Amino acid sequence: MDNKIFLEELTKETLLSEELAKKIIQEASTIGKSVEEIIYDKRLVDEQSLAKVKSKILNVPYKKIKIEEITNDLFKVIPEETVRNYKVIPINKTDDLLVVGMLNPDDSKAQEAIKFIAKQKRLNLGVYLITKSDWESVLKKYSPYENEVDEAIQSLNLQPGKGLASYQKVTHLEEGTMVSEEAPIIKIIASTLKEAVWQKASDIHIEPQKNKVRIRFRLDGALKEISSLPIELHQPLISRVKVLSNLKIDETRTPQDGRFRTVIFGRDIDYRVATFPTPMGEKIAIRVLDPTVGLKGLEQLGLTGRNYDMVKEAINEPYGMILITGPTGSGKTTTLYALMQLLNKEETNVVSLEDPVEYFIEGMNQSQVRPEIGYDFASGLRQILRQDPDVIMVGEIRDNETAGLAIHAALTGHIVLSTLHTNNSLGVVPRLINMGVDAFLLPASLNLMLAQRLVPRLCQKCKKAEKATGKMNEIIKKELENIPEEFKKDLPVGDYQIYHSSGCPACNNKGVSGRIALFEVLKKTPELENIINTNPTEHRIFEEAKKQGMITLRQDGILKALKGLISMETVLRETIEM
């Protein structure tokens, strides 16, 4: 497919600007990637829109694949090797017709391969264009994780008790040593890493128990056991992960940190590894850093309407601080990355201090602090100011020194992004003052305070509405009375309806699919400045927030619940009444 024609069509459909299209074509020639790959990797256009434009150019119809409709019999029609190498999948088969999906219908080698299979089976051929994520999902069904792991374990011919560490077994003085086969261990770890990416897990936990090794994934914020392996595999599995992340294999007494990068399903995935000694042996936690999952736009996160407008206004200011607050695991870093992507332009020098760097963003200058050698947020901030920055991102304000330096950076003409630990946006000012920041400096430096929580998103395919009754109805009514009319205009008219999802094949019967954030945005106003300079209590700040028409975390959650995005029970569990 011609790159120039592809870009012209995307700009004609207003999916890309002409300026961005020029940059993409230049980057494609520089790094040797196709235009389509660059657009997909950077998530500049959503997958289905990209496929529809591609379909129009190639004159091949696009089809959205329903994975559950692809039967086991179809997997026998096209071998896994062909699916993997030529990026094709079987969609349907009748007595005289084979229907396939192709990621690249214009690939001559893929055409030859699929024509050969159809000719062998004496079938006519029908072709659809498919998306990359649909191809990946079908490919995954060819090699289920459980089968791969079971085959690897069987090939080891394990003998109970052999291969255990001293604290995991009863020692027999005359027992010989076991020579383990490395290949199956490598296979188990590789399959686990791929499965985590496919299931969109944020973390992998490999944990030694008394009689087994437990592997759990964190999916949509909750841990789920996905495999249970013989305890004899504990040490080989831990050693394999240590080898991948360049950690000391013989050091088992103290925690270690490392990371490694690999290519899975055609995209770069980073894994951050942390070991932890326990009485049963070392536990390993692996953070899965998949850019297609972790890097999102503000609207994808759940920031919409007036809240979105306020954030956009704040980042367009010439200087000032934007502080994001919330507990651990509330998605603060993800929101920071979304803001940085908006600010990351050719004419802007964006410099970050992170602990650690989670996602590498092209065009940004990212640095990882190392407190053990004296390079912490405070010392890094001093150095950053010598790097001629326009935008500074500080991973977290943890102490008064970092807070003071960040305020100073905001006062001297820089946009400063950072996070803080408070319960809500109202607590930001009191927290900074409590950390030793002079109150009179805050009105001139603070632009925006944003609090957030991360909650499971209901599966949109199996959600069902029901009438809100009793106490639930009273809570909704009470909160909506205090919400400005502009936020309520899109709500359904009549009785309040809440939603639940029972589970379906699309969400693996979990009832939830992904997560969405609840937001609470408080901006600086002359009235807020006056409060900060006189008596900045949370109560007075809350009174000013109400005058601004600020939506609290609970109110934002209720609005999202009434639209069927999340469950009302989740909102009440994760937020408090104000």
Side-chain angles (χ1 to χ4, degrees):
M1 182 172 61
D2 188 280
N3 283 336
K4 193 175 178 183
I5 294 172
F6 189 40
L7 284 172
E8 282 176 0
E9 199 62 40
L10 288 170
T11 52
K12 195 187 296 181
E13 297 283 341
T14 67
L15 294 169
L16 286 177
S17 67
E18 289 188 12
E19 183 186 359
L20 188 54
K22 287 176 184 175
K23 287 182 180 178
I24 292 168
I25 198 84
Q26 187 178 1
E27 186 176 340
S29 61
T30 304
I31 65 175
K33 270 189 173 184
S34 73
V35 161
E36 186 183 355
E37 283 178 304
I38 292 170
I39 293 169
Y40 180 82
D41 290 345
K42 293 188 174 184
R43 295 160 305 285
L44 299 171
V45 178
D46 75 85
E47 234 189 352
Q48 287 197 35
S49 299
L50 209 60
K52 286 171 184 175
V53 170
K54 193 174 171 183
S55 166
K56 184 179 175 182
I57 294 169
L58 297 176
N59 199 26
V60 176
Y62 160 66
K63 186 176 180 65
K64 175 66 182 166
I65 304 300
K66 292 182 179 178
I67 306 300
E68 61 273 13
E69 291 180 2
I70 298 179
T71 62
N72 289 331
D73 291 337
L74 278 172
F75 293 132
K76 298 172 186 174
V77 178
I78 302 178
E80 181 183 351
E81 189 178 353
T82 304
V83 172
R84 189 180 299 278
N85 292 338
Y86 297 108
K87 295 180 172 56
V88 299
I89 60 169
I91 295 177
N92 194 13
K93 178 182 173 292
T94 60
D95 291 339
D96 61 349
L97 179 67
L98 172 63
V99 180
V100 300
M102 301 181 73
L103 189 59
N104 300 305
D106 54 335
D107 182 343
S108 58
K109 290 184 178 178
Q111 290 173 5
E112 287 173 16
I114 209 67
K115 283 176 183 175
F116 177 75
I117 290 172
K119 189 176 179 181
Q120 261 193 331
K121 299 181 182 298
R122 297 181 180 177
L123 295 169
N124 294 316
L125 192 61
V127 175
Y128 282 103
L129 176 75
I130 58 169
T131 61
K132 191 172 184 180
S133 59
D134 283 346
W135 167 72
E136 289 172 0
S137 297
V138 175
L139 175 61
K140 184 62 205 163
K141 289 189 77 171
Y142 269 86
S143 303
Y145 174 68
E146 295 84 359
N147 293 352
E148 291 181 344
V149 172
D150 286 345
E151 285 175 14
I153 291 172
Q154 287 171 17
S155 70
L156 283 166
N157 296 316
L158 290 174
Q159 297 177 33
K162 290 194 174 183
L164 298 182
S166 58
Y167 40 71
Q168 294 171 325
K169 67 174 183 177
V170 176
T171 302
H172 299 281
L173 295 178
E174 297 180 7
E175 182 178 77
T177 58
M178 181 181 83
V179 179
S180 65
E181 295 290 337
E182 288 186 5
I185 300 299
I186 292 171
K187 178 73 172 173
I188 291 170
I189 292 297
S191 298
T192 301
L193 296 175
K194 285 192 286 185
E195 181 72 10
V197 171
W198 184 74
Q199 290 200 30
K200 294 184 170 67
S202 61
D203 299 86
I204 305 166
H205 293 256
I206 302 175
E207 305 162 313
Q209 307 291 294
K210 188 177 179 181
N211 299 310
K212 65 178 182 178
V213 178
R214 179 173 66 175
I215 298 180
R216 293 191 292 172
F217 288 172
R218 188 170 293 280
L219 301 164
D220 298 324
L223 281 170
K224 180 186 177 184
E225 182 172 325
I226 59 110
S227 187
S228 181
L229 308 176
I231 189 63
E232 290 83 4
L233 294 182
H234 171 245
Q235 276 193 309
L237 291 173
I238 298 295
S239 295
R240 176 58 186 162
V241 176
K242 283 184 171 182
V243 167
L244 287 171
S245 45
N246 290 317
L247 300 180
K248 296 176 183 175
I249 295 175
D250 58 344
E251 179 53 81
T252 60
R253 300 164 299 172
T254 59
Q256 297 183 68
D257 292 319
R259 71 188 298 158
F260 63 95
R261 176 183 290 188
T262 187
V263 177
I264 291 179
F265 300 130
R267 58 183 187 264
D268 284 341
I269 310 291
D270 274 302
Y271 295 93
R272 203 173 75 219
V273 178
T275 70
F276 186 72
T278 76
M280 301 306 297
E282 280 185 294
K283 170 192 185 303
I284 277 187
I286 306 171
R287 172 65 55 88
V288 183
L289 301 169
D290 182 353
T292 61
V293 175
L295 291 178
K296 299 178 184 294
L298 291 176
E299 289 175 310
Q300 287 176 286
L301 295 174
L303 192 66
T304 56
R306 188 175 152 204
N307 284 346
Y308 177 81
D309 294 337
M310 284 195 288
V311 172
K312 288 283 289 215
E313 283 173 23
I315 64 174
N316 287 325
E317 293 286 336
Y319 62 88
M321 288 184 75
I322 298 174
L323 290 178
I324 302 169
T325 182
T328 302
S330 60
K332 299 188 297 296
T333 304
T334 304
T335 304
L336 276 181
Y337 274 103
L339 293 174
M340 287 195 293
Q341 287 182 96
L342 287 174
L343 291 162
N344 184 26
K345 300 172 184 174
E346 184 182 346
E347 62 273 16
T348 305
N349 181 21
V350 183
V351 188
S352 75
L353 284 173
E354 304 175 51
D355 184 20
V357 174
E358 292 203 359
Y359 297 101
F360 296 100
I361 301 177
E362 194 171 339
M364 271 180 47
N365 302 290
Q366 297 168 269
S367 181
Q368 180 166 324
V369 298
R370 298 191 180 276
E372 68 273 14
I373 60 170
Y375 179 48
D376 55 16
F377 284 125
S379 61
L381 256 173
R382 290 192 187 92
Q383 295 301 321
I384 273 185
L385 293 172
R386 298 172 190 170
Q387 290 294 320
D388 183 32
D390 298 297
V391 177
I392 299 169
M393 190 278 259
V394 183
E396 185 183 342
I397 293 178
R398 295 174 179 170
D399 52 58
N400 60 345
E401 188 180 8
T402 307
L405 288 164
I407 295 282
H408 173 70
L411 289 170
T412 52
H414 305 92
I415 290 284
V416 179
L417 310 173
S418 192
T419 67
L420 197 66
H421 281 284
T422 66
N423 290 327
N424 51 41
S425 59
L426 310 175
V428 169
V429 170
R431 173 73 177 132
L432 288 172
I433 292 172
N434 182 253
M435 291 175 81
V437 175
D438 292 322
F440 69 87
L441 294 174
L442 294 177
S445 57
L446 268 178
N447 281 356
L448 198 76
M449 292 142 279
L450 183 150
Q452 66 181 75
R453 297 289 187 279
L454 210 52
V455 297
R457 186 197 295 261
L458 289 177
C459 174
Q460 299 300 293
K461 291 196 174 179
C462 62
K463 70 175 183 182
K464 290 181 181 175
E466 60 185 70
K467 187 179 176 182
T469 57
K471 190 177 179 182
M472 189 79 77
N473 193 59
E474 290 173 20
I475 292 170
I476 295 170
K477 188 176 180 181
K478 183 181 176 184
E479 291 291 346
L480 288 183
E481 284 174 356
N482 300 317
I483 295 177
E485 288 300 320
E486 63 180 288
F487 287 94
K488 295 186 276 188
K489 61 184 178 183
D490 294 330
L491 293 179
V493 180
D495 294 331
Y496 299 128
Q497 286 190 319
I498 57 176
Y499 294 79
H500 296 97
S501 299
S502 55
C504 66
C507 60
N508 291 324
N509 296 311
K510 293 185 295 181
V512 294
S513 179
R515 289 186 286 176
I516 190 169
L518 311 181
F519 289 100
E520 177 180 285
V521 183
L522 177 64
K523 68 176 181 179
K524 180 183 69 177
T525 59
E527 292 77 15
L528 184 58
E529 289 183 22
N530 184 49
I531 291 169
I532 294 171
N533 286 324
T534 52
N535 182 25
T537 63
E538 279 199 35
H539 176 71
R540 290 192 69 199
I541 293 170
F542 182 48
E543 291 302 313
E544 165 55 23
K546 284 197 287 186
K547 290 176 186 174
Q548 284 187 23
M550 183 189 83
I551 298 294
T552 66
L553 287 165
R554 172 161 286 198
Q555 289 168 345
D556 190 42
I558 286 173
L559 290 171
K560 287 184 167 89
L562 292 175
K563 292 175 183 175
L565 296 173
I566 55 180
S567 75
M568 193 64 71
E569 289 81 3
T570 300
V571 174
L572 301 182
R573 185 176 65 247
E574 296 293 333
T575 63
I576 59 171
E577 184 182 354
M578 293 180 67

